């Protein structure tokens, strides 16, 4: 766990963490706890609006063991290319850069056996994520930012729930517990819920963060109090001699270090290429809209199963987030996606007023996603001393504490057998 006094045995051993999103900051805290000298180099300050960690939906969902690639998905892809308002949008211009990623993505979830393996590999990141975040938030003095009241998934009716049977089987097989609810049960948790939803499941072990951006900032401040140094600068390369890391390079020169952890979100792909590693991250772009709190709002986060988006009660209002867009790298955001989310929110919560609609804040960010739905955690195959902690896709907030623990154990020299599915070397033959 993250708490407790820093050990002193590794003082003098300097680790540079690249990136101050939720993953980088959590890794830095864990390395510091283990006694390392830690510096975080980040192109934008912790909690910045530019990072995926700022604008996510805040879900800490043990039920997310179900991968986004599931059997039969390939049949839906042609529709996604044509439908501009569906839950997954692929811009035609993205295809040249994304096709090999997409093929592997579809293949990784093509059979029941494959999704069972993915779910089992995701389980340790998610099963006690709420408890781990509560411990972190408490240590950082922001316990109020993590709630553990459960997560609600709503369906039009019981038949629609039954049609999702494979997903619920995967959850049950991985220790996820839930209570099914009828319309009255749903209304007790979300009084303003549309009549379109009459059945659902409350995932009891789930929780959420009520302000992900503020949370990352608070964790970074806590890390600073514990002796982690932060420098806002863009890392542009690495100093390597005879295949061994010597330092991390930025505009101000090279910072010497014994180890580096690359936790730069979507930018990990380019930094890895500079090291000679292939980490095929593609951005599954996501958007959010946030509106002021309203009558009938849910007391727990709600997933609309049919429209594939979640509504999260945040400190500053209601956030609707989710859905996926594949766009060419560097392309401008398509704010029609935010409009789609706003329309979905209004359909889910018909009480929404013009006041809510007119006070909407909107945001977009890059999910750093791998084509096999698993994160990339482990040593670089090319350069000794470099570790990766990235590729968490839809699950980076929930997964950060367990990721940090794995990285800490690896940095200590432990052979972490259970981390084999996340080995960066698995992509060494992937075309990017
Ligand atoms: C709409 C949406 C909803 C989501 N909902 C959830 C959810 O409910 N639950 C969940 O668990 N996850 C969710 N996610 C996913 C989650 O937000 C991400 O997986 C997670 O934030 C990734 O964190 P990160 O630290 O790896 O990357 P980021 O948060 O993107 O941070 C990357 C960091 O690297 C830095 N950096 C980049 N390049 C360089 C460089 N060259 N030099 C130095 N620093 C650099 C950046 O400044 C930044 O500090 C969602 C994502 C989106 C977009």
């Amino acid at each position: 766990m993250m708490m407790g006094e820093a050990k002193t045995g590794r003082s003098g051993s300097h680790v540079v963490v690249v990136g101050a999103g939720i993953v980088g900051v959590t890794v830095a805290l864990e390395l510091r706890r283990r006694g390392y000298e830690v510096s975080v180099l980040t192109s934008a300050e912790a909690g910045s609006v530019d990072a995926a960690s700022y604008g996510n939906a805040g879900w800490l969902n043990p039920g997310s063991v179900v991968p986004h690639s599931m059997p039969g998905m390939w049949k839906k892809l042609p529709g996604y290319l044509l439908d501009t308002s569906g839950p997954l949008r692929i811009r035609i211009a993205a295809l040249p850069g994304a096709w090999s990623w997409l093929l592997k993505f579809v293949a990784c979830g093509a059979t029941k056996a494959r999704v069972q393996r993915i779910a089992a590999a995701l389980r340790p990141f998610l099963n006690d994520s709420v408890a781990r975040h509560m411990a972190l938030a408490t240590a950082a003095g922001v316990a109020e930012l993590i709630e553990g009241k459960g997560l609600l998934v709503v369906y039009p009716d019981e038949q629609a729930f039954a049609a999702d049977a494979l997903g619920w089987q995967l959850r049950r097989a991985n220790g996820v517990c839930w209570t099914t609810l009828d319309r009255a049960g749903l209304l007790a948790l979300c009084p303003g819920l549309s009549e379109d939803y009459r059945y659902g499941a409350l995932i009891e072990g789930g929780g959420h963060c009520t302000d992900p951006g503020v949370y990352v900032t608070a964790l970074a401040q806590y890390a600073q109090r514990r002796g982690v140094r932060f420098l806002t600068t863009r890392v542009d390369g690495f100093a390597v001699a005879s295949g061994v890391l010597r330092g991390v390079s930025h505009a101000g020169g090279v910072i010497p270090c014994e180890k580096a952890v690359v936790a730069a979100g979507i930018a990990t792909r380019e930094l890895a290429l500079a090291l000679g590693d292939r980490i095929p991250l593609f951005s599954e772009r996501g958007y959010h809209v946030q509106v002021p709190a309203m009558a009938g709002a849910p007391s727990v986060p709600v997933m609309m199963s049919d429209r594939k988006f979640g509504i999260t009660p945040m400190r500053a209002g209601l956030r609707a987030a989710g859905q996926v867009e594949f766009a060419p790298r560097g392309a401008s955001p398509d704010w029609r996606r935010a409009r789609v989310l706003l329309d979905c929110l209004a359909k889910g919560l018909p009480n929404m007023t013009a006041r809510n609609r007119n006070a909407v804040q909107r945001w977009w960010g890059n999910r750093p996603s791998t084509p096999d739905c698993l994160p990339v955690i482990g040593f670089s195959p090319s350069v000794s001393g470099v570790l990766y902690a990235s590729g968490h896709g839809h699950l980076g907030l929930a997964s950060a504490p367990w990721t940090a623990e794995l990285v800490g154990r690896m940095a200590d020299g432990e052979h972490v057998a259970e981390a084999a599915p996340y080995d960066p070397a698995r992509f060494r033959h992937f075309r990017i």
Side-chain angles (χ1 to χ4, degrees), residues 18-24 41-44 51-53 55-59 233-235 263-265 267 271 286-287 321-322 363 365-368 390 392-399:
V18 184
I22 185 65
V23 177
L41 270 53
T42 179
S43 52
S53 301
N56 60 58
W59 285 50
T233 184
R234 192 180 158 276
V235 169
L271 290 169
Y287 294 75
W363 172 91
N366 293 302
R367 296 183 185 92
S390 189
H392 296 85
H394 294 247
L395 308 174
L397 172 66
S399 305

Side-chain angles (χ1 to χ4, degrees), residues 273-322:
L273 280 175
L275 287 157
D277 292 329
R278 293 162 187 239
I279 308 288
L281 300 182
F282 205 90
S283 169
E284 289 187 77
R285 287 185 179 193
Y287 294 75
H288 87 217
V289 291
Q290 191 162 305
V291 300
M294 66 179 89
S299 56
V300 296
V302 182
M303 173 65 63
M304 307 299 192
S305 61
D306 50 348
R307 298 192 172 101
K308 308 284 183 229
F309 81 105
I311 303 173
T312 311
M314 294 287 180
R315 286 201 309 180
L318 269 192
R319 181 175 291 183

Side-chain angles (χ1 to χ4, degrees), residues 33 86 100 115 132 184 189 200 252 263 265 311 321 323 325 400 408-409 428:
R33 189 188 73 81
S100 57
V115 294
R132 286 174 180 271
L189 293 166
I311 303 173
Q323 310 196 337
E325 180 192 44
R409 288 164 58 191
R428 62 186 173 280

Side-chain angles (χ1 to χ4, degrees), residues 28-396:
L29 267 169
E30 176 64 8
L31 290 170
R32 185 68 192 130
R33 189 188 73 81
R34 288 172 181 260
Y36 293 92
E37 301 294 323
V38 183
S39 305
V40 177
L41 270 53
T42 179
S43 52
E45 284 185 11
S48 159
V49 69
D50 296 331
S53 301
Y54 173 89
N56 60 58
W59 285 50
L60 308 173
N61 185 4
S64 293
V65 291
V66 180
H68 283 258
S69 175
M70 289 286 276
M73 193 194 180
W74 62 271
K75 294 181 206 151
K76 299 179 186 160
L77 279 180
Y80 292 145
L81 284 167
L82 302 171
D83 183 358
T84 54
S85 62
L88 193 158
R89 170 88 181 115
I90 304 175
R91 293 199 215 171
I92 302 281
L95 280 177
W99 71 267
S100 57
W101 191 102
L102 281 168
L103 285 181
K104 181 149 177 70
F105 177 71
V106 172
C108 87
T111 67
K112 190 172 171 182
R114 290 182 191 175
V115 294
Q116 283 170 333
R117 277 198 297 275
I118 296 171
L122 290 174
R123 174 181 181 162
F125 293 92
L126 305 173
N127 65 349
D128 60 358
S129 172
V130 176
R132 286 174 180 271
H133 276 292
M134 278 181 172
L136 263 177
T138 302
V142 287
E144 72 282 1
L145 292 182
I146 304 296
E147 293 196 356
K149 296 191 290 193
L151 302 163
L152 185 60
V153 185
V154 297
Y155 289 86
D157 50 37
E158 196 170 346
Q159 287 71 33
F161 174 79
D164 250 359
L166 177 55
W168 292 101
Q169 278 169 27
L170 290 171
R171 292 184 180 105
R172 188 171 309 285
N174 286 286
V176 180
C177 299
W178 65 88
T179 307
T180 53
L181 299 172
D182 60 11
R183 171 83 183 154
L186 300 186
L187 288 180
L189 293 166
C190 183
L193 186 67
S194 155
E195 287 191 4
D196 293 347
Y197 301 99
R198 314 198 69 80
Y199 199 79
L202 179 69
I203 298 177
E204 282 124 7
H208 74 290
C209 174
T210 58
D211 197 330
V214 168
Y215 182 45
V216 176
T217 305
L219 292 182
Q221 288 167 348
Y222 172 53
Q224 274 176 305
R225 294 197 293 277
R226 296 188 64 89
V228 175
R229 290 179 293 271
F230 282 77
L231 183 60
T232 305
T233 184
R234 192 180 158 276
V235 169
D236 54 24
F238 300 86
V240 177
S242 307
V244 179
L245 179 78
R246 301 289 182 215
V248 174
S249 164
H250 69 117
V254 172
I255 297 184
C257 57
E258 284 71 44
K259 289 192 179 71
V261 181
V262 185
I266 192 67
T268 301
R269 172 187 159 119
E270 265 60 48
L271 290 169
L273 280 175
L275 287 157
D277 292 329
R278 293 162 187 239
I279 308 288
L281 300 182
F282 205 90
S283 169
E284 289 187 77
R285 287 185 179 193
Y287 294 75
H288 87 217
V289 291
Q290 191 162 305
V291 300
M294 66 179 89
S299 56
V300 296
V302 182
M303 173 65 63
M304 307 299 192
S305 61
D306 50 348
R307 298 192 172 101
K308 308 284 183 229
F309 81 105
I311 303 173
T312 311
M314 294 287 180
R315 286 201 309 180
L318 269 192
R319 181 175 291 183
Q323 310 196 337
V324 168
E325 180 192 44
F326 287 87
R329 277 195 287 150
S332 304
D334 178 356
W335 290 116
R336 287 174 300 182
R337 304 298 309 164
R339 164 66 56 180
V340 169
L341 278 171
L342 195 58
D343 289 344
C344 288
L345 180 59
K347 282 184 186 135
L349 299 176
N351 283 348
M352 204 165 97
T353 61
R355 186 181 79 84
N356 293 116
R357 269 189 172 269
N358 293 337
V360 65
Q361 293 169 11
R362 54 187 200 172
W363 172 91
W364 77 280
N366 293 302
R367 296 183 185 92
S369 296
T370 60
D372 63 2
C373 299
L374 293 175
V376 178
I377 302 164
F379 280 102
S380 158
S382 306
V383 177
S384 173
V386 174
L387 284 136
Y388 294 105
S390 189
H392 296 85
H394 294 247
L395 308 174

